[in-house]
Amino acid sequence: MDVAINSNWKSFLKDEFEKPYFKSLAKFVKSEYKNYTCFPKGRDIFNAFELCDLEATKVIILGQDPYHGKNQAHGLAFSVPEGIKIPPSLQNIFRELKTDIKDFEIPNHGNLNHWARQGVLLLNATLTVRANEAGSHQNKGWEVFTDTVIKKLSNEKEQLVFLLWGGFAKKKARLINADQHLVLTSGHPSPLSANRGYWFGNRHFSTTNSFLNSHQKQTIKW
């Protein structure tokens, strides 16, 4: 099956694209995009892989679903294109960054392309969604694919940082070799979790950079 994805990632994941579950998933997604409004745009489904080169990958931030509102999703977890109102969870991510990273200034947009280009894989567990129907493309095969991405990165790369925010993401810790990588968990940055004290103060961003620096890797300019 020909999947429009960055060549390094395509080689890394080539076995998955030929498996029956992925062929079934591709058929489902094609039908959904033909018959309904779905997000992100087709060309952006694998945007996280396009912007974050496999060889440069050093941090993985796991989300759940793409945003399901108009013009919000563009293939990166938690990110929105410039000109789109910054979602509450991302506002709280920026607030934590402001207290955690010296000299960080909260931007006037929510586009996280610059994180991805530095090696931050902003990976949603499900890569597509029907407009205004959260979770509508769950349990169709995407989770099998993205779980494989996580497992292969854990098994084949060294000294990565995995940021698992919220109950859903924390369950993915079972896929990761914590002796080989840094796994950081906390509550989700959504207002419901953050306002209960489960998000603010986790210092994940400075901790990530300290780990990268200790392993002679370029730190992230958040």
Side-chain angles (χ1 to χ4, degrees), residues 155-197:
N155 292 339
E156 299 182 32
K157 301 279 280 185
E158 296 182 347
Q159 287 92 45
L160 301 177
V161 182
F162 292 84
L163 303 182
L164 308 181
W165 301 334
F168 174 84
K170 289 177 184 178
K171 293 176 182 177
K172 304 298 183 179
R174 62 183 172 79
L175 306 172
I176 304 162
N177 181 354
D179 294 327
Q180 181 70 24
H181 308 285
L182 178 63
V183 180
L184 299 177
T185 64
S186 79
H188 196 275
S190 66
L192 183 63
S193 175
N195 293 337
R196 290 178 176 175

Side-chain angles (χ1 to χ4, degrees), residues 141-158:
W142 278 130
E143 296 91 340
V144 179
F145 175 73
T146 53
D147 278 2
T148 298
V149 173
I150 295 167
K151 285 188 288 188
K152 283 181 67 67
L153 286 172
S154 175
N155 292 339
E156 299 182 32
K157 301 279 280 185
E158 296 182 347

Side-chain angles (χ1 to χ4, degrees), residues 6 9 47-59 115-122:
N6 174 289
W9 285 104
N47 202 24
F49 302 94
E50 289 298 316
L51 294 177
C52 180
D53 186 77
L54 173 63
E55 298 307 314
T57 300
K58 48 196 171 186
V59 180
W115 290 11
R117 291 192 177 103
Q118 294 177 77
V120 180
L121 182 65
L122 293 156

Side-chain angles (χ1 to χ4, degrees), residues 67 78-80 86-95 110-112:
Y67 296 118
F78 295 103
S79 179
V80 291
I86 301 175
S89 291
L90 186 53
Q91 290 181 30
N92 285 335
I93 289 171
F94 288 157
R95 284 178 61 191
N111 191 326
L112 302 180

Side-chain angles (χ1 to χ4, degrees), residues 13 19 27 70 82 101 110 138 178 184 188 206:
L13 298 167
K19 291 181 178 179
K27 184 176 180 180
K70 185 179 180 180
E82 292 189 37
I101 298 292
Q138 291 178 3
L184 299 177
H188 196 275
S206 61

Side-chain angles (χ1 to χ4, degrees), residues 12 23 27 49 54-55 73 79 100 114 126 140 145 164 166 173 194 213 218:
F12 187 66
K23 293 181 179 182
K27 184 176 180 180
F49 302 94
L54 173 63
E55 298 307 314
S79 179
D100 187 26
H114 64 295
T126 302
K140 302 296 183 181
F145 175 73
L164 308 181
N213 187 59
Q218 185 69 40

